[in-house]
Amino acid sequence: METPIATNALVMGALPNRHARYRPHHTAVIVAARGKGEREIRLTWRELDSYLNRWANALASLGVVRGDRVATVLANSLELLATYWACAKIGAVAVPLSPLLTASGLASLLADAAPRVIVGSSDQLAMLDEVRRKSSG
């Protein structure tokens, strides 16, 4: 017997939208202040779902589709959380990689993972450029 309500309720990518619908003003996530002079970030389920939808659309605009891999080279952050949930929304697979990796270690793991997209921070731009040069050369 087909039970679409139960089946759809178990789809992970649908959970933020479900909470945004039924608990829109409840706190979904709190991100601690990263440095001096910064404030913590608090998002309700409605705000988080909207943020995740924008993140998922950004990945889709880069060509990410269901089944593709998206590598993350991010420290624990709102961006890492958003990437995981955005991947779940579009059916992509998040491949978490440590931001502590060296260029050669990262290149090796990326060669095995073959991601469509790599999400990193501006702090890692030089290393990611080095990995790109090594893989294309």
Side-chain angles (χ1 to χ4, degrees), residues 22 28 44 61 63-64 100:
Y22 296 108
T44 66
S61 74
V64 177
L100 302 176

Side-chain angles (χ1 to χ4, degrees), residues 38-122:
E38 291 189 23
R39 296 189 339 225
E40 71 179 14
I41 299 169
R42 289 178 175 261
L43 298 176
T44 66
W45 279 106
R46 180 178 288 159
E47 293 166 335
L48 178 63
D49 188 51
S50 177
Y51 185 78
L52 298 177
N53 287 337
R54 289 191 304 274
W55 205 265
N57 286 329
L59 291 175
S61 74
L62 294 171
V64 177
V65 296
R66 178 181 282 295
D68 280 345
R69 289 171 295 282
V70 175
T72 63
V73 189
L74 295 166
N76 290 338
S77 61
L78 180 58
E79 294 80 14
L80 180 64
L81 179 69
T83 303
Y84 286 171
W85 280 106
C87 284
K89 281 180 170 273
I90 61 179
V93 179
V95 180
L97 301 172
S98 173
L100 302 176
L101 287 166
T102 63
S104 61
L106 182 61
S108 173
L109 292 173
L110 290 172
D112 288 340
R116 163 103 35 204
V117 172
I118 302 167
V119 180
S121 69
S122 60

